[in-house]
Amino acid sequence: MEKNTLKLNKTRAVFCKIRENGILASIKKIYWIISSKLGNFFSVIVPCPLRLKFYSNLLRLIFAPGFKRKRILGIWDFKALPWSIGDPLVFIETLNILKIENNAEEIDICVVYDRNYPIGNRGRSIFNKDLANIGSENAQDYLLEILPLFSTCPFLGSIYQFNSHNEFYRFLKMNIERYDIFPPLAMHLGEAYNFLCCPPILNPMQDFFNKHGYIPYLRIGERDKAWAQWFFLKHLPKEAVAVTLSLKQTSHCIGNNAEPATWLVFIDQCRLDFPEVVFVIVGLREEVFAGLRDRPNVIIAKDSGTSAIEDLALIRASLLYLGISSGVNIIAMFSDLPYLIFQMDVSNYLRHGLKVGDKFSFVLDTQKIFSAEVKVTPELLFSEFKQIYSKLDKIRWCSITSEKACKKHSHPTTKVLD
């Protein structure tokens, strides 16, 4: 009698579940339970026409809707454009603005290079002849390190990578009706969009800010930002705050390089007056100059093997960023992060219709840029740092960093055992 009652209750429970979820949802759930129990055996043995998923996907294919809004297609062509960090970030911000202004659906990006001559037009320049490290053998390796930069686009749809212009043009011919293209097709074909001759590349951001009162910020994903906060918790003393610092030391535009002695004196002074501040050095591994590792209030991010995108995440997760004018600055410029940027070339003001020392319209009160005409001294660095640092909420930063910090899992579908 008890067994019959138990069976009856189970039957009622099943019918209640079917009534609650609906017949179609119940069938799907039963199918999912069976397939998960049988695992790979089920997926191999059962023919496609007998699978429910086959017909649902077939219907999706047949009745796939046409597009209602166009997308923005950004073309980053390494034949005309530089292999760099900052220029692609400026390009992405321009695409963000075009997406909003045109009410486009999303942003797709095509990254194109010539496998046989990857350095492109810049390889013909006498200035690059002895500086280029890229060639046909390692171009793909360099590209795969740069590609994550495009994840800073908050409206990113699809990203395509081509190592042949012919393959790219086949793609473009098949999909051209789907897109509003940037740079305009004529400029791309004429290789005129190339960041040479000092174009006013920040004007779209200024115009957008003047019209709307804001700019879209470049994106750092929650996974990388939480990792950066975890990095700070792991490497910084308790109750310390992280100030990121990039000090350019490259063989191009040597006049914009940081003067090591000046910055070391500044770092030493901060250790005395602000013992809670730890400087986290980001940038190229080779840029770390003598004396930095000797300072107890300095951490070298590259000693932990950080990638380019992780360096950008460290900048955005820090309390404050300081740096010499270079490409990595852009991740701070298009954000609300407090920063001090030094040695910006005078031409950057003039080409945007500004006088030396003027502010770009989108720069906030806690953000400041100094022209190359301003001599960088330890006294200037300390004075400006003290002024902006005093305005920041260190307690709130520590609280958020502690709350949000999370170690990054390198594998998408498993975790390393403790």
Side-chain angles (χ1 to χ4, degrees):
M1 187 71 176
E2 288 181 3
K3 288 184 178 180
N4 291 336
T5 304
L6 187 61
K7 286 182 180 179
L8 184 61
N9 289 338
K10 285 184 176 180
T11 303
R12 285 175 179 169
V14 169
F15 278 107
C16 286
K17 282 288 184 183
I18 294 174
R19 187 184 307 160
E20 179 183 336
N21 298 325
I23 295 176
L24 185 60
S26 300
I27 292 173
K28 284 183 178 179
K29 189 164 186 178
I30 293 168
Y31 177 86
W32 180 85
I33 292 172
I34 294 172
S35 63
S36 63
K37 293 285 186 186
L38 296 177
N40 291 333
F41 177 80
F42 183 85
S43 63
V44 172
I45 297 301
V46 177
C48 288
L50 296 181
R51 301 181 192 181
L52 183 63
K53 183 59 70 176
F54 171 85
Y55 291 100
S56 64
N57 286 335
L58 178 62
L59 290 173
R60 288 174 63 192
L61 173 63
I62 294 171
F63 297 105
F67 60 86
K68 296 180 180 178
R69 292 182 292 160
K70 283 195 172 186
R71 292 186 171 210
I72 301 295
L73 180 68
I75 305 171
W76 187 264
D77 184 359
F78 279 114
K79 184 179 181 184
L81 291 160
W83 292 81
S84 62
I85 300 294
D87 297 316
L89 297 181
V90 173
F91 170 75
I92 291 165
E93 181 68 359
T94 306
L95 297 180
N96 292 338
I97 286 169
L98 289 173
K99 188 268 181 196
I100 296 172
E101 289 184 331
N102 291 279
N103 193 28
E105 186 177 78
E106 285 184 313
I107 295 170
D108 293 348
I109 298 175
C110 288
V111 182
V112 191
Y113 76 101
D114 182 348
R115 180 166 47 190
N116 297 319
Y117 195 63
I119 196 171
N121 297 340
R122 281 166 170 74
R124 301 186 181 94
S125 167
I126 189 172
F127 300 108
N128 286 281
K129 184 172 63 173
D130 300 321
L131 304 181
N133 302 306
I134 193 169
S136 57
E137 305 82 11
N138 61 17
Q140 180 172 285
D141 302 321
Y142 277 110
L143 180 68
L144 293 177
E145 291 178 356
I146 289 177
L147 210 56
L149 296 177
F150 294 95
S151 70
T152 60
C153 176
F155 309 113
L156 185 64
S158 300
I159 184 165
Y160 306 91
Q161 184 260 304
F162 299 91
N163 60 13
S164 159
H165 282 79
N166 287 338
E167 286 299 320
F168 166 62
Y169 290 143
R170 289 189 188 99
F171 167 84
L172 193 59
K173 281 173 62 178
M174 289 188 293
N175 297 280
I176 197 165
E177 294 298 323
R178 180 75 174 98
Y179 293 111
D180 290 323
I181 298 173
F182 183 84
L185 191 56
M187 291 190 71
H188 164 70
L189 296 176
E191 299 174 11
Y193 183 76
N194 52 27
F195 285 23
L196 294 173
C197 303
C198 297
I201 54 177
L202 300 183
N203 273 355
M205 299 70 172
Q206 294 210 96
D207 294 342
F208 187 91
F209 183 89
N210 293 339
K211 182 178 179 180
H212 301 284
Y214 79 100
I215 56 170
Y217 292 151
L218 293 177
R219 170 186 177 270
I220 294 294
E222 288 303 315
R223 173 173 173 259
D224 284 307
K225 189 170 183 181
W227 168 84
Q229 291 161 325
W230 170 84
F231 180 96
F232 295 147
L233 287 187
K234 179 181 178 183
H235 293 281
L236 271 61
K238 190 175 182 181
E239 297 183 358
V241 295
V243 174
T244 42
L245 182 57
S246 67
L247 299 171
K248 180 180 176 298
Q249 293 288 305
T250 59
S251 54
H252 76 288
C253 301
I254 294 176
N256 284 357
N257 285 350
E259 173 55 47
T262 299
W263 285 89
L264 290 176
V265 171
F266 161 70
I267 290 170
D268 289 341
Q269 186 63 46
C270 285
R271 184 188 173 199
L272 298 175
D273 289 68
F274 304 107
E276 74 281 6
V277 171
V278 175
F279 292 99
V280 180
I281 309 296
V282 297
L284 299 176
R285 185 174 285 103
E286 308 94 304
E287 287 181 315
V288 178
F289 51 77
L292 282 174
R293 284 194 175 86
D294 301 332
R295 268 65 186 174
N297 57 337
V298 168
I299 292 173
I300 311 297
K302 280 294 183 291
D303 287 350
S304 298
T306 56
S307 65
I309 201 71
E310 287 172 343
D311 275 3
L312 300 186
L314 288 171
I315 291 174
R316 286 285 284 272
S318 64
L319 175 71
L320 170 65
Y321 166 72
L322 279 74
I324 301 298
S325 182
S326 65
V328 73
N329 301 160
I330 303 300
I331 197 66
M333 285 181 68
F334 300 143
S335 78
D336 59 357
L337 177 73
Y339 64 72
L340 295 169
I341 296 173
F342 299 89
Q343 297 177 219
M344 177 170 278
D345 198 283
V346 170
S347 66
N348 281 328
Y349 293 93
L350 302 181
R351 62 173 157 162
H352 292 96
L354 301 176
K355 293 180 292 185
V356 175
D358 284 350
K359 274 179 56 174
F360 292 95
S361 61
F362 52 82
V363 172
L364 305 177
D365 291 339
T366 54
Q367 301 172 334
K368 199 168 182 180
I369 302 172
F370 298 83
S371 83
E373 290 188 348
V374 177
K375 182 174 175 56
V376 178
T377 64
E379 294 76 20
L380 172 73
L381 293 174
F382 187 79
S383 172
E384 293 295 338
F385 175 80
K386 182 178 181 180
Q387 184 177 346
I388 194 170
Y389 181 73
S390 65
K391 299 176 182 178
L392 306 181
D393 190 339
K394 277 74 77 175
I395 295 175
R396 181 172 180 271
W397 181 88
C398 289
S399 175
I400 292 174
T401 299
S402 178
E403 178 187 344
K404 301 290 186 181
C406 181
K407 190 173 182 180
K408 182 163 63 174
H409 299 292
S410 302
H411 196 288
T413 59
T414 190
K415 296 179 181 178
V416 176
L417 295 174
D418 294 331

Short mmCIF file of all heavy atoms in Angstrom, two decimals, residues 5 43 86 144 156 187 222 242 314 325 410:
data_model
loop_
_atom_site.label_atom_id
_atom_site.label_comp_id
_atom_site.label_asym_id
_atom_site.label_seq_id
_atom_site.Cartn_x
_atom_site.Cartn_y
_atom_site.Cartn_z
N THR A 5 1.18 4.21 -2.92
CA THR A 5 1.02 5.64 -2.58
C THR A 5 2.23 6.44 -3.02
O THR A 5 2.12 7.55 -3.56
CB THR A 5 0.81 5.82 -1.07
OG1 THR A 5 -0.31 5.03 -0.64
CG2 THR A 5 0.57 7.28 -0.72
N SER A 43 26.00 11.65 -28.27
CA SER A 43 26.28 12.57 -29.37
C SER A 43 26.85 11.86 -30.59
O SER A 43 26.71 12.33 -31.71
CB SER A 43 27.24 13.67 -28.90
OG SER A 43 28.48 13.10 -28.54
N GLY A 86 49.18 52.58 -28.46
CA GLY A 86 48.27 53.71 -28.32
C GLY A 86 47.41 53.97 -29.53
O GLY A 86 46.22 54.31 -29.41
N LEU A 144 49.39 38.35 -32.44
CA LEU A 144 48.58 37.71 -31.41
C LEU A 144 48.79 38.37 -30.04
O LEU A 144 47.94 38.25 -29.16
CB LEU A 144 48.90 36.22 -31.34
CG LEU A 144 48.47 35.42 -32.58
CD1 LEU A 144 48.89 33.97 -32.45
CD2 LEU A 144 46.97 35.52 -32.80
N LEU A 156 32.16 45.74 -29.00
CA LEU A 156 32.75 44.81 -29.96
C LEU A 156 31.78 43.68 -30.29
O LEU A 156 31.23 43.03 -29.40
CB LEU A 156 34.05 44.23 -29.40
CG LEU A 156 34.83 43.31 -30.34
CD1 LEU A 156 35.33 44.08 -31.55
CD2 LEU A 156 36.01 42.67 -29.60
N MET A 187 39.79 56.32 -48.22
CA MET A 187 41.00 56.55 -47.44
C MET A 187 41.76 55.26 -47.21
O MET A 187 43.00 55.23 -47.22
CB MET A 187 40.66 57.20 -46.10
CG MET A 187 40.17 58.63 -46.20
SD MET A 187 40.07 59.42 -44.57
CE MET A 187 41.80 59.62 -44.15
N GLU A 222 35.89 42.66 -16.67
CA GLU A 222 35.85 42.39 -15.23
C GLU A 222 36.87 41.32 -14.83
O GLU A 222 37.45 41.38 -13.74
CB GLU A 222 34.45 41.97 -14.82
CG GLU A 222 33.44 43.11 -14.82
CD GLU A 222 33.88 44.26 -13.92
OE1 GLU A 222 34.32 44.00 -12.78
OE2 GLU A 222 33.80 45.42 -14.35
N ALA A 242 48.16 51.49 -4.72
CA ALA A 242 48.93 51.30 -5.94
C ALA A 242 48.84 52.52 -6.84
O ALA A 242 47.74 52.98 -7.16
CB ALA A 242 48.44 50.06 -6.69
N LEU A 314 46.10 46.84 -14.92
CA LEU A 314 46.75 47.37 -13.72
C LEU A 314 46.61 48.89 -13.66
O LEU A 314 46.36 49.46 -12.58
CB LEU A 314 48.23 46.97 -13.70
CG LEU A 314 48.53 45.49 -13.42
CD1 LEU A 314 50.00 45.19 -13.65
CD2 LEU A 314 48.13 45.11 -11.99
N SER A 325 54.42 60.72 -21.90
CA SER A 325 53.51 60.64 -23.05
C SER A 325 53.92 59.50 -23.99
O SER A 325 55.00 59.51 -24.57
CB SER A 325 53.52 61.98 -23.80
OG SER A 325 52.62 61.94 -24.89
N SER A 410 43.11 30.85 -15.84
CA SER A 410 43.66 30.89 -17.19
C SER A 410 42.90 30.01 -18.16
O SER A 410 42.86 30.28 -19.36
CB SER A 410 45.13 30.48 -17.17
OG SER A 410 45.87 31.33 -16.31
#
